[in-house]
Amino acid sequence: MFICNCHGLNEQKVIEAARAGVEKWEDIHSYFGTKPSCGMCSEEIRQIISEQKNV
Ligand code: FES
């Protein structure tokens, strides 16, 4: 399931970037060489980042 439909980022990719230390939802996109566009994925990405901080 895609978290970011605009750039095809799935949950696994977002978790991978969060575990690598990415802390902002915009930077998750940069990590994969894209730029955020519509922003609809921001809440879900922020949630995954905060979950990964607590692991
Ligand atoms: S769904 Fe991620 S930028 Fe549009």
Side-chain angles (χ1 to χ4, degrees):
M1 190 183 89
F2 288 122
I3 301 287
C4 176
N5 286 317
C6 294
H7 302 293
L9 302 179
N10 60 23
E11 186 174 5
Q12 198 178 349
K13 283 187 168 177
V14 177
I15 289 173
E16 175 193 326
R19 286 187 181 165
V22 180
E23 294 192 340
K24 292 184 184 170
W25 82 273
E26 303 96 313
D27 295 342
I28 295 278
H29 292 76
S30 321
Y31 185 84
F32 292 107
T34 65
K35 287 183 180 170
S37 16
C38 76
M40 278 181 65
C41 55
S42 65
E43 274 312 308
E44 215 166 341
I45 289 179
R46 284 193 181 107
Q47 195 179 332
I48 292 173
I49 291 171
S50 91
E51 281 168 10
Q52 291 305 311
K53 277 187 185 170
N54 297 323
V55 169

Short mmCIF file of all heavy atoms in Angstrom, two decimals:
data_model
loop_
_atom_site.label_atom_id
_atom_site.label_comp_id
_atom_site.label_asym_id
_atom_site.label_seq_id
_atom_site.Cartn_x
_atom_site.Cartn_y
_atom_site.Cartn_z
N MET A 1 0.84 -1.20 0.00
CA MET A 1 0.00 0.00 0.00
C MET A 1 0.88 1.25 0.00
O MET A 1 1.83 1.33 0.76
CB MET A 1 -0.88 -0.01 1.26
CG MET A 1 -1.95 1.03 1.24
SD MET A 1 -2.90 1.01 2.79
CE MET A 1 -1.91 2.15 3.77
N PHE A 2 0.55 2.18 -0.86
CA PHE A 2 1.34 3.40 -0.93
C PHE A 2 0.93 4.39 0.16
O PHE A 2 -0.25 4.58 0.43
CB PHE A 2 1.20 4.08 -2.29
CG PHE A 2 1.91 3.34 -3.39
CD1 PHE A 2 1.22 2.91 -4.50
CD2 PHE A 2 3.27 3.09 -3.30
CE1 PHE A 2 1.87 2.21 -5.52
CE2 PHE A 2 3.93 2.41 -4.31
CZ PHE A 2 3.23 1.96 -5.42
N ILE A 3 1.93 5.00 0.77
CA ILE A 3 1.67 6.09 1.70
C ILE A 3 1.60 7.37 0.87
O ILE A 3 0.73 8.20 1.06
CB ILE A 3 2.84 6.23 2.71
CG1 ILE A 3 3.05 4.93 3.50
CG2 ILE A 3 2.61 7.43 3.63
CD1 ILE A 3 2.01 4.63 4.52
N CYS A 4 2.56 7.52 -0.04
CA CYS A 4 2.59 8.68 -0.91
C CYS A 4 2.28 8.23 -2.34
O CYS A 4 3.11 7.61 -2.99
CB CYS A 4 3.97 9.33 -0.84
SG CYS A 4 4.17 10.71 -1.98
N ASN A 5 1.08 8.53 -2.76
CA ASN A 5 0.66 8.12 -4.10
C ASN A 5 1.38 8.91 -5.19
O ASN A 5 1.60 8.40 -6.28
CB ASN A 5 -0.85 8.30 -4.25
CG ASN A 5 -1.61 7.22 -3.50
OD1 ASN A 5 -1.25 6.06 -3.55
ND2 ASN A 5 -2.64 7.62 -2.78
N CYS A 6 1.73 10.15 -4.89
CA CYS A 6 2.38 10.98 -5.90
C CYS A 6 3.73 10.40 -6.33
O CYS A 6 4.11 10.50 -7.48
CB CYS A 6 2.59 12.39 -5.38
SG CYS A 6 1.08 13.30 -5.09
N HIS A 7 4.44 9.82 -5.36
CA HIS A 7 5.80 9.37 -5.66
C HIS A 7 6.02 7.88 -5.40
O HIS A 7 7.16 7.41 -5.39
CB HIS A 7 6.80 10.20 -4.85
CG HIS A 7 6.68 11.66 -5.15
ND1 HIS A 7 7.00 12.19 -6.37
CD2 HIS A 7 6.20 12.69 -4.41
CE1 HIS A 7 6.75 13.49 -6.36
NE2 HIS A 7 6.27 13.81 -5.19
N GLY A 8 4.94 7.16 -5.17
CA GLY A 8 5.05 5.72 -5.03
C GLY A 8 5.86 5.27 -3.82
O GLY A 8 6.56 4.26 -3.88
N LEU A 9 5.77 6.03 -2.72
CA LEU A 9 6.49 5.61 -1.52
C LEU A 9 5.57 4.75 -0.66
O LEU A 9 4.50 5.20 -0.24
CB LEU A 9 6.94 6.83 -0.70
CG LEU A 9 7.83 7.83 -1.43
CD1 LEU A 9 8.17 8.99 -0.51
CD2 LEU A 9 9.10 7.16 -1.93
N ASN A 10 6.00 3.53 -0.42
CA ASN A 10 5.18 2.67 0.42
C ASN A 10 5.66 2.75 1.87
O ASN A 10 6.65 3.40 2.20
CB ASN A 10 5.16 1.23 -0.11
CG ASN A 10 6.54 0.61 -0.15
OD1 ASN A 10 7.44 1.05 0.57
ND2 ASN A 10 6.71 -0.40 -0.97
N GLU A 11 4.93 2.06 2.74
CA GLU A 11 5.23 2.13 4.16
C GLU A 11 6.66 1.66 4.46
O GLU A 11 7.37 2.26 5.26
CB GLU A 11 4.22 1.27 4.93
CG GLU A 11 4.38 1.40 6.44
CD GLU A 11 3.29 0.67 7.20
OE1 GLU A 11 2.48 -0.03 6.56
OE2 GLU A 11 3.28 0.78 8.43
N GLN A 12 7.07 0.62 3.77
CA GLN A 12 8.42 0.08 4.00
C GLN A 12 9.50 1.12 3.70
O GLN A 12 10.48 1.25 4.43
CB GLN A 12 8.60 -1.16 3.13
CG GLN A 12 9.75 -2.03 3.59
CD GLN A 12 9.88 -3.27 2.72
OE1 GLN A 12 9.00 -3.57 1.92
NE2 GLN A 12 10.96 -3.99 2.87
N LYS A 13 9.30 1.86 2.63
CA LYS A 13 10.29 2.89 2.27
C LYS A 13 10.31 4.01 3.30
O LYS A 13 11.37 4.52 3.67
CB LYS A 13 9.97 3.47 0.89
CG LYS A 13 10.39 2.56 -0.23
CD LYS A 13 10.22 3.26 -1.56
CE LYS A 13 10.91 2.47 -2.66
NZ LYS A 13 10.70 3.08 -3.97
N VAL A 14 9.13 4.41 3.74
CA VAL A 14 9.06 5.49 4.74
C VAL A 14 9.73 5.04 6.04
O VAL A 14 10.50 5.79 6.65
CB VAL A 14 7.59 5.92 5.00
CG1 VAL A 14 7.52 6.98 6.09
CG2 VAL A 14 6.97 6.47 3.72
N ILE A 15 9.48 3.80 6.44
CA ILE A 15 10.12 3.27 7.65
C ILE A 15 11.63 3.24 7.47
O ILE A 15 12.38 3.62 8.37
CB ILE A 15 9.56 1.86 7.97
CG1 ILE A 15 8.13 1.97 8.47
CG2 ILE A 15 10.44 1.16 9.02
CD1 ILE A 15 7.41 0.65 8.65
N GLU A 16 12.08 2.80 6.31
CA GLU A 16 13.53 2.74 6.03
C GLU A 16 14.17 4.11 6.20
O GLU A 16 15.20 4.26 6.86
CB GLU A 16 13.72 2.23 4.60
CG GLU A 16 15.16 2.22 4.12
CD GLU A 16 15.24 1.99 2.61
OE1 GLU A 16 14.41 1.28 2.05
OE2 GLU A 16 16.15 2.58 1.99
N ALA A 17 13.56 5.13 5.62
CA ALA A 17 14.11 6.49 5.72
C ALA A 17 14.05 7.00 7.15
O ALA A 17 15.00 7.62 7.64
CB ALA A 17 13.35 7.42 4.78
N ALA A 18 12.95 6.71 7.84
CA ALA A 18 12.82 7.17 9.23
C ALA A 18 13.89 6.51 10.10
O ALA A 18 14.50 7.16 10.95
CB ALA A 18 11.42 6.84 9.76
N ARG A 19 14.15 5.25 9.87
CA ARG A 19 15.18 4.54 10.65
C ARG A 19 16.58 5.05 10.33
O ARG A 19 17.48 4.94 11.14
CB ARG A 19 15.10 3.03 10.39
CG ARG A 19 13.91 2.42 11.09
CD ARG A 19 13.93 0.92 11.00
NE ARG A 19 12.76 0.35 11.66
CZ ARG A 19 12.35 -0.90 11.50
NH1 ARG A 19 13.00 -1.72 10.71
NH2 ARG A 19 11.29 -1.34 12.14
N ALA A 20 16.73 5.58 9.12
CA ALA A 20 18.03 6.14 8.73
C ALA A 20 18.23 7.53 9.34
O ALA A 20 19.28 8.14 9.16
CB ALA A 20 18.14 6.20 7.21
N GLY A 21 17.21 8.03 10.04
CA GLY A 21 17.38 9.28 10.77
C GLY A 21 16.66 10.48 10.18
O GLY A 21 16.81 11.60 10.67
N VAL A 22 15.87 10.27 9.12
CA VAL A 22 15.12 11.38 8.55
C VAL A 22 14.02 11.79 9.52
O VAL A 22 13.29 10.94 10.03
CB VAL A 22 14.51 10.98 7.18
CG1 VAL A 22 13.73 12.14 6.60
CG2 VAL A 22 15.60 10.55 6.22
N GLU A 23 13.92 13.10 9.78
CA GLU A 23 12.99 13.54 10.83
C GLU A 23 11.84 14.40 10.33
O GLU A 23 10.92 14.69 11.08
CB GLU A 23 13.75 14.32 11.91
CG GLU A 23 14.72 13.41 12.65
CD GLU A 23 15.27 14.04 13.90
OE1 GLU A 23 15.22 15.28 14.00
OE2 GLU A 23 15.76 13.29 14.75
N LYS A 24 11.90 14.85 9.08
CA LYS A 24 10.81 15.68 8.55
C LYS A 24 10.16 14.98 7.38
O LYS A 24 10.85 14.33 6.58
CB LYS A 24 11.34 17.03 8.07
CG LYS A 24 11.85 17.90 9.17
CD LYS A 24 12.26 19.22 8.58
CE LYS A 24 12.88 20.12 9.62
NZ LYS A 24 13.49 21.29 9.00
N TRP A 25 8.85 15.18 7.25
CA TRP A 25 8.15 14.46 6.19
C TRP A 25 8.63 14.89 4.81
O TRP A 25 8.71 14.07 3.90
CB TRP A 25 6.63 14.60 6.34
CG TRP A 25 6.05 15.87 5.80
CD1 TRP A 25 5.93 17.04 6.46
CD2 TRP A 25 5.52 16.06 4.48
NE1 TRP A 25 5.38 17.97 5.62
CE2 TRP A 25 5.11 17.40 4.41
CE3 TRP A 25 5.36 15.24 3.37
CZ2 TRP A 25 4.55 17.93 3.25
CZ3 TRP A 25 4.82 15.78 2.22
CH2 TRP A 25 4.41 17.10 2.17
N GLU A 26 9.01 16.17 4.67
CA GLU A 26 9.52 16.62 3.37
C GLU A 26 10.83 15.89 3.03
O GLU A 26 11.09 15.56 1.87
CB GLU A 26 9.82 18.11 3.36
CG GLU A 26 8.66 19.01 3.73
CD GLU A 26 8.68 19.40 5.19
OE1 GLU A 26 8.87 18.51 6.03
OE2 GLU A 26 8.49 20.59 5.47
N ASP A 27 11.63 15.67 4.07
CA ASP A 27 12.94 15.04 3.84
C ASP A 27 12.85 13.56 3.50
O ASP A 27 13.78 13.00 2.92
CB ASP A 27 13.83 15.24 5.08
CG ASP A 27 14.15 16.71 5.32
OD1 ASP A 27 13.98 17.51 4.37
OD2 ASP A 27 14.55 17.06 6.43
N ILE A 28 11.72 12.95 3.84
CA ILE A 28 11.51 11.56 3.41
C ILE A 28 11.52 11.53 1.88
O ILE A 28 12.08 10.63 1.26
CB ILE A 28 10.16 11.01 3.93
CG1 ILE A 28 10.16 10.93 5.46
CG2 ILE A 28 9.83 9.66 3.28
CD1 ILE A 28 10.80 9.74 6.09
N HIS A 29 10.93 12.55 1.28
CA HIS A 29 10.91 12.62 -0.19
C HIS A 29 12.33 12.85 -0.73
O HIS A 29 12.74 12.18 -1.67
CB HIS A 29 9.98 13.74 -0.66
CG HIS A 29 8.54 13.45 -0.37
ND1 HIS A 29 7.99 13.56 0.88
CD2 HIS A 29 7.54 13.03 -1.17
CE1 HIS A 29 6.72 13.23 0.83
NE2 HIS A 29 6.41 12.91 -0.40
N SER A 30 13.04 13.79 -0.12
CA SER A 30 14.41 14.07 -0.59
C SER A 30 15.27 12.81 -0.51
O SER A 30 16.11 12.57 -1.37
CB SER A 30 15.08 15.14 0.26
OG SER A 30 14.18 16.14 0.59
N TYR A 31 15.06 12.04 0.55
CA TYR A 31 15.84 10.81 0.76
C TYR A 31 15.72 9.88 -0.46
O TYR A 31 16.67 9.19 -0.82
CB TYR A 31 15.31 10.11 2.02
CG TYR A 31 16.08 8.88 2.44
CD1 TYR A 31 17.24 8.99 3.21
CD2 TYR A 31 15.63 7.61 2.11
CE1 TYR A 31 17.94 7.86 3.61
CE2 TYR A 31 16.32 6.47 2.51
CZ TYR A 31 17.47 6.60 3.26
OH TYR A 31 18.16 5.47 3.66
N PHE A 32 14.56 9.91 -1.09
CA PHE A 32 14.35 9.06 -2.27
C PHE A 32 14.43 9.85 -3.58
O PHE A 32 13.99 9.38 -4.63
CB PHE A 32 13.01 8.33 -2.17
CG PHE A 32 12.99 7.30 -1.07
CD1 PHE A 32 12.30 7.52 0.10
CD2 PHE A 32 13.72 6.13 -1.21
CE1 PHE A 32 12.30 6.58 1.12
CE2 PHE A 32 13.75 5.18 -0.19
CZ PHE A 32 13.04 5.41 0.98
N GLY A 33 14.99 11.07 -3.49
CA GLY A 33 15.23 11.84 -4.70
C GLY A 33 14.01 12.47 -5.31
O GLY A 33 13.99 12.75 -6.51
N THR A 34 12.96 12.67 -4.49
CA THR A 34 11.77 13.33 -5.01
C THR A 34 11.47 14.57 -4.16
O THR A 34 12.12 14.79 -3.14
CB THR A 34 10.53 12.40 -4.98
OG1 THR A 34 10.24 12.10 -3.61
CG2 THR A 34 10.79 11.12 -5.73
N LYS A 35 10.47 15.33 -4.58
CA LYS A 35 10.03 16.48 -3.79
C LYS A 35 8.57 16.27 -3.45
O LYS A 35 7.81 15.78 -4.28
CB LYS A 35 10.17 17.77 -4.59
CG LYS A 35 11.59 18.22 -4.76
CD LYS A 35 11.65 19.53 -5.48
CE LYS A 35 13.09 19.96 -5.65
NZ LYS A 35 13.22 21.11 -6.54
N PRO A 36 8.15 16.67 -2.22
CA PRO A 36 6.74 16.53 -1.89
C PRO A 36 5.88 17.38 -2.82
O PRO A 36 6.29 18.48 -3.18
CB PRO A 36 6.64 17.01 -0.44
CG PRO A 36 7.89 17.75 -0.17
CD PRO A 36 8.93 17.27 -1.15
N SER A 37 4.73 16.88 -3.21
CA SER A 37 3.86 17.69 -4.05
C SER A 37 2.54 18.01 -3.36
O SER A 37 2.39 19.08 -2.78
CB SER A 37 3.66 17.06 -5.42
OG SER A 37 4.03 15.73 -5.45
N CYS A 38 1.58 17.11 -3.37
CA CYS A 38 0.25 17.49 -2.88
C CYS A 38 0.18 17.61 -1.36
O CYS A 38 -0.64 18.34 -0.84
CB CYS A 38 -0.80 16.51 -3.37
SG CYS A 38 -0.80 14.94 -2.50
N GLY A 39 1.03 16.88 -0.65
CA GLY A 39 1.03 16.96 0.81
C GLY A 39 0.05 16.05 1.52
O GLY A 39 -0.03 16.02 2.74
N MET A 40 -0.70 15.27 0.75
CA MET A 40 -1.70 14.40 1.38
C MET A 40 -1.07 13.31 2.23
O MET A 40 -1.72 12.72 3.09
CB MET A 40 -2.62 13.78 0.32
CG MET A 40 -3.72 14.73 -0.10
SD MET A 40 -4.80 13.99 -1.33
CE MET A 40 -5.53 12.66 -0.40
N CYS A 41 0.19 13.02 1.97
CA CYS A 41 0.86 11.96 2.72
C CYS A 41 1.51 12.47 4.00
O CYS A 41 2.03 11.69 4.79
CB CYS A 41 1.93 11.30 1.85
SG CYS A 41 3.11 12.50 1.19
N SER A 42 1.46 13.78 4.25
CA SER A 42 2.26 14.34 5.34
C SER A 42 1.89 13.78 6.70
O SER A 42 2.78 13.40 7.48
CB SER A 42 2.15 15.87 5.35
OG SER A 42 0.83 16.26 5.63
N GLU A 43 0.58 13.69 6.99
CA GLU A 43 0.19 13.19 8.32
C GLU A 43 0.65 11.76 8.54
O GLU A 43 1.16 11.41 9.60
CB GLU A 43 -1.33 13.27 8.49
CG GLU A 43 -1.80 14.62 8.98
CD GLU A 43 -1.02 15.14 10.19
OE1 GLU A 43 -0.90 14.40 11.18
OE2 GLU A 43 -0.51 16.27 10.12
N GLU A 44 0.44 10.94 7.53
CA GLU A 44 0.79 9.52 7.68
C GLU A 44 2.30 9.35 7.82
O GLU A 44 2.78 8.54 8.61
CB GLU A 44 0.25 8.73 6.49
CG GLU A 44 -0.19 7.35 6.90
CD GLU A 44 -1.03 6.67 5.83
OE1 GLU A 44 -1.57 7.36 4.93
OE2 GLU A 44 -1.12 5.45 5.87
N ILE A 45 3.05 10.12 7.06
CA ILE A 45 4.52 10.04 7.16
C ILE A 45 4.99 10.53 8.52
O ILE A 45 5.82 9.90 9.16
CB ILE A 45 5.19 10.84 6.01
CG1 ILE A 45 4.99 10.10 4.70
CG2 ILE A 45 6.68 11.03 6.29
CD1 ILE A 45 5.59 10.79 3.48
N ARG A 46 4.40 11.63 9.00
CA ARG A 46 4.78 12.14 10.34
C ARG A 46 4.52 11.09 11.40
O ARG A 46 5.29 10.91 12.33
CB ARG A 46 4.00 13.41 10.67
CG ARG A 46 4.51 14.62 9.94
CD ARG A 46 3.92 15.89 10.53
NE ARG A 46 4.40 17.06 9.81
CZ ARG A 46 3.65 17.76 8.98
NH1 ARG A 46 2.41 17.44 8.77
NH2 ARG A 46 4.16 18.80 8.36
N GLN A 47 3.40 10.41 11.25
CA GLN A 47 3.04 9.37 12.24
C GLN A 47 4.08 8.24 12.22
O GLN A 47 4.52 7.77 13.27
CB GLN A 47 1.66 8.83 11.91
CG GLN A 47 1.06 8.05 13.05
CD GLN A 47 -0.33 7.54 12.72
OE1 GLN A 47 -1.05 8.15 11.93
NE2 GLN A 47 -0.70 6.42 13.30
N ILE A 48 4.48 7.81 11.03
CA ILE A 48 5.48 6.73 10.94
C ILE A 48 6.81 7.19 11.53
O ILE A 48 7.46 6.45 12.26
CB ILE A 48 5.64 6.27 9.47
CG1 ILE A 48 4.36 5.58 9.02
CG2 ILE A 48 6.85 5.34 9.33
CD1 ILE A 48 4.32 5.22 7.55
N ILE A 49 7.20 8.44 11.25
CA ILE A 49 8.46 8.95 11.80
C ILE A 49 8.40 8.93 13.32
O ILE A 49 9.34 8.47 13.98
CB ILE A 49 8.73 10.39 11.30
CG1 ILE A 49 9.07 10.37 9.80
CG2 ILE A 49 9.89 11.03 12.08
CD1 ILE A 49 9.15 11.74 9.16
N SER A 50 7.29 9.37 13.89
CA SER A 50 7.23 9.40 15.36
C SER A 50 7.16 7.98 15.92
O SER A 50 7.74 7.70 16.97
CB SER A 50 6.09 10.30 15.84
OG SER A 50 4.92 9.60 16.02
N GLU A 51 6.51 7.07 15.24
CA GLU A 51 6.49 5.67 15.70
C GLU A 51 7.91 5.09 15.70
O GLU A 51 8.30 4.39 16.63
CB GLU A 51 5.61 4.81 14.79
CG GLU A 51 4.13 4.94 15.06
CD GLU A 51 3.29 4.31 13.95
OE1 GLU A 51 3.85 3.60 13.07
OE2 GLU A 51 2.09 4.54 13.95
N GLN A 52 8.68 5.40 14.66
CA GLN A 52 10.02 4.84 14.55
C GLN A 52 10.97 5.41 15.61
O GLN A 52 11.91 4.76 16.02
CB GLN A 52 10.60 5.07 13.15
CG GLN A 52 9.91 4.26 12.08
CD GLN A 52 9.89 2.77 12.39
OE1 GLN A 52 10.90 2.18 12.74
NE2 GLN A 52 8.72 2.14 12.29
N LYS A 53 10.69 6.64 16.05
CA LYS A 53 11.52 7.23 17.10
C LYS A 53 11.33 6.50 18.42
O LYS A 53 12.20 6.49 19.28
CB LYS A 53 11.13 8.70 17.30
CG LYS A 53 11.79 9.62 16.33
CD LYS A 53 11.49 11.04 16.70
CE LYS A 53 12.03 12.00 15.68
NZ LYS A 53 11.54 13.36 15.90
N ASN A 54 10.15 5.92 18.57
CA ASN A 54 9.83 5.25 19.83
C ASN A 54 10.14 3.76 19.83
O ASN A 54 9.82 3.07 20.77
CB ASN A 54 8.35 5.46 20.17
CG ASN A 54 8.04 6.92 20.38
OD1 ASN A 54 8.86 7.65 20.92
ND2 ASN A 54 6.88 7.36 19.94
N VAL A 55 10.73 3.28 18.74
CA VAL A 55 11.03 1.83 18.66
C VAL A 55 12.29 1.55 19.46
O VAL A 55 13.24 2.29 19.39
CB VAL A 55 11.21 1.39 17.19
CG1 VAL A 55 11.78 -0.03 17.13
CG2 VAL A 55 9.89 1.45 16.47
S1 FES B 1 0.75 11.83 -1.70
FE1 FES B 1 2.75 12.39 -1.13
S2 FES B 1 3.07 14.29 -2.10
FE2 FES B 1 1.15 13.65 -2.80
#
